[in-house]
Amino acid sequence: MPVVDPSLNPLTDADPAEVEPTRRPRRRPARADLLALGAYVLLGVFVCLNYWGDVNGRVSSHLPTDHSWFEWLFAHGAYSVRHLENPLFTARQNAPDGVNMMANTSLLGVTLPLAPLTMLLGPQVMYALYLGAALAATAGTGYWMLSRHLVRSRAAAFVGGAFLGFAPGIIHHANGQPNFVSNFLLPLIVVRVLTLAEPGRWRRNGLVLGALVAYQIFINEEMLLLTALACLVIVLAYAVQRPRATRAAAGTFLGGLGVAGGLALVLTAYPIWFQFNGPQSYRGLQGGVFHNWGEDLVAFVTFARDTWAGDPAVEKTIGLTEQNTWFGWPLVLLSLVALVLLVRRSLAARIVAVLIVVFSVAAIGPWVRFNGVETDIRGPWSYVSDDLPLVEMMMPTRLTLVVAAAVGVLLALTWDAAYRQGRPVADRPRVPAQRAGDATPAASDDEPAAPAAARRRWLRPVGYAAVALAVLPLFPRPLPAQQIDPPPHFITAGGWRPYVPAGRTLVPVPIPSNVHGLPTLRWSALTGQEFPVPGGYFIGPNELGEGVFGAPNRPTSSLIYSTMDKDAVPALTDENRRQAIEDLRFWRASVVVLGAHPREAVLRELVTGLIGPPQRVDDVWVWDVRPLVG
């Protein structure tokens, strides 16, 4: 099994220059590390620049509802800490049934520790602040992994770390989905997996890995699963190429893995049980909506929308899909050339090649898609049942996030190889003795003579230029943001308080859902979730126990949505009025509130026709329904 050690890197097996020296100068690397982290922070601020222009009044232009959901999640973390409530469940949304937070993307590993800051700054500021910080932190841990364990050049580690943190697919998800940019633990997890076979330290390494895995479960389980699959492929690829070393280290590796698994299970047993068996849990998604979503082959060579070279118009051909690869032609060509040149002499490059091939093929999905057209050529997922646990929840295209990470490592290896060109033999570190049981020498016995090395110095600027030309078109643009109407003063000033006693709900019109009611969902978040609301934006069970998006529509909520869509009030019947009262009782409503809205006139006419005339209070229409529902 791989053992990561600064003095003997087993993932390189040809060139002594790829092996870290036992000692490093301390001041210069420390300065380089600070410069790298500072650059990542500045890039994170730049990506979120459009939000900071009006952080309280802007949301993502691409995924505004997801943006509001995550603002709500930061408010949920603060509410849970402030009221000492179980954070795994909430009744502040989808009242009275509530929402199973472990069965949703809840980001509890972030929102709970940051709860004091959320209380101080508010969920909108916290969202924008965290989003940029998560991007920078992921790049930072990627840089640490590469600079400490894989490459000698700090510049190579910087390039690779920047791609790990700001790859096109990551920037795409930064549009309203910070859980997919919160990958700062993943490089640490990979390093710990590769150190499990370290002699004499398997217990310590196993405990550290178990703690990291447990924490990642509360950030993003899907990215943890992808990382686990990637680690499995890495270990298998290593075992095939280093069988003797693998057999020698297998016992230690498996012992450490057992410790890690045991600790992670102890730490997460109850939350995982709650996720699958607690209130409002579900089994799979209705219709397997994610199973057919594979990666378009043309997407690999297309520039992503949110990069300098990207063009939003390309979505009209490939279609609106997750842009998880979208590397562009220059990076794809560079990757192919780099792999051809490096695989012969670098074990790390060979493992990267396996990762790229395996996960690129797996990401195709059930049917091959080309330039937005689904062909009749079967893909690998057509042979996988969508009823399998975990598989039923997976989206094939997201497997390419592993490809993006592998490309980031490949960029670092490529830059590092260019860095070594032309270095005199005397400047290269001495190669430690070969590890016992290792079938392949740690480095080549053939050292190029100094004159030959000098003749190859021209390869260094060529390599640097090739990497720069491949990645510069992928430099991210600031995330697009759109203005959103501010919440009513009636809500933010607390005018609702006399109308909502304990145990009752405020019913905003329109009722929040995954399609309608984005502004009204924010009312809850921006008031610290002090009042519960019906409906919402989440995944919960239907009558068959399958996961569906949003709350099952009540007759009154369906009537509200259809009225909005048609911009006309239908003829109301006594049955509509009776059902409205019944729905208000089900929601435990005490007040119905309508604020400024493009469909305000028809919505006010509809609700008035159902439950009577409203009162104008501050800047909203209010229906006090306590006399109606008891």
Side-chain angles (χ1 to χ4, degrees), residues 546-611:
E546 301 171 314
V548 294
F549 290 91
N553 283 337
R554 304 285 298 182
T556 304
S557 56
S558 296
L559 185 59
I560 290 173
Y561 301 148
S562 65
T563 299
M564 291 173 59
D565 293 338
K566 297 175 182 178
D567 197 16
V569 179
L572 299 177
T573 66
D574 289 341
E575 177 60 21
N576 294 139
R577 297 180 181 92
R578 185 198 66 79
Q579 189 63 64
I581 300 301
E582 184 176 327
D583 291 341
L584 291 171
R585 288 195 178 110
F586 173 80
W587 291 324
R588 300 174 186 170
S590 62
V591 67
V592 177
V593 179
L594 170 63
H597 191 277
R599 299 285 190 269
E600 180 180 346
V602 294
L603 289 173
R604 179 162 58 91
E605 183 182 349
L606 172 66
V607 179
T608 298
L610 291 173
I611 58 177

Side-chain angles (χ1 to χ4, degrees), residues 378-584:
R378 298 175 71 90
W381 282 70
S382 62
Y383 304 99
V384 179
S385 171
D386 57 6
D387 294 328
L388 292 176
L390 296 180
V391 172
E392 63 186 356
M393 296 290 290
M394 290 184 66
M395 187 182 296
T397 179
R398 289 181 181 168
L399 292 170
T400 57
L401 293 174
V402 176
V403 179
V407 169
V409 174
L410 180 61
L411 286 171
L413 293 174
T414 304
W415 188 285
D416 199 54
Y419 164 78
R420 294 193 312 273
Q421 295 305 316
R423 293 181 62 210
V425 175
D427 292 343
R428 298 188 177 188
R430 303 297 298 174
V431 182
Q434 181 179 340
R435 183 183 291 118
D438 205 339
T440 307
S444 170
D445 295 330
D446 299 325
E447 277 290 347
R455 288 195 298 270
R456 296 190 310 183
R457 287 180 181 173
W458 64 271
L459 293 175
R460 180 184 292 185
V462 170
Y464 292 167
V467 173
L469 290 174
V471 299
L472 283 178
L474 303 178
F475 194 87
R477 298 176 180 176
L479 298 172
Q482 69 181 35
Q483 205 71 27
I484 191 170
D485 292 334
H489 184 261
F490 174 83
I491 295 295
T492 56
W496 56 270
R497 292 185 184 278
Y499 297 91
V500 188
R504 305 298 287 270
T505 66
L506 182 150
V507 178
V509 179
I511 295 165
S513 74
N514 62 315
V515 177
H516 300 284
L518 165 62
T520 56
L521 177 62
R522 297 184 84 228
W523 294 2
S524 173
L526 302 186
T527 55
Q529 298 185 1
E530 288 300 324
F531 55 81
V533 296
Y537 184 66
F538 62 96
I539 301 178
N542 61 11
E543 63 277 2
L544 300 177
E546 301 171 314
V548 294
F549 290 91
N553 283 337
R554 304 285 298 182
T556 304
S557 56
S558 296
L559 185 59
I560 290 173
Y561 301 148
S562 65
T563 299
M564 291 173 59
D565 293 338
K566 297 175 182 178
D567 197 16
V569 179
L572 299 177
T573 66
D574 289 341
E575 177 60 21
N576 294 139
R577 297 180 181 92
R578 185 198 66 79
Q579 189 63 64
I581 300 301
E582 184 176 327
D583 291 341
L584 291 171

Side-chain angles (χ1 to χ4, degrees), residues 358-392:
V358 169
F359 284 91
S360 294
V361 172
I364 292 173
W367 301 97
V368 175
R369 295 174 66 240
F370 187 86
N371 205 27
V373 177
E374 187 177 274
T375 70
D376 56 0
I377 302 174
R378 298 175 71 90
W381 282 70
S382 62
Y383 304 99
V384 179
S385 171
D386 57 6
D387 294 328
L388 292 176
L390 296 180
V391 172
E392 63 186 356

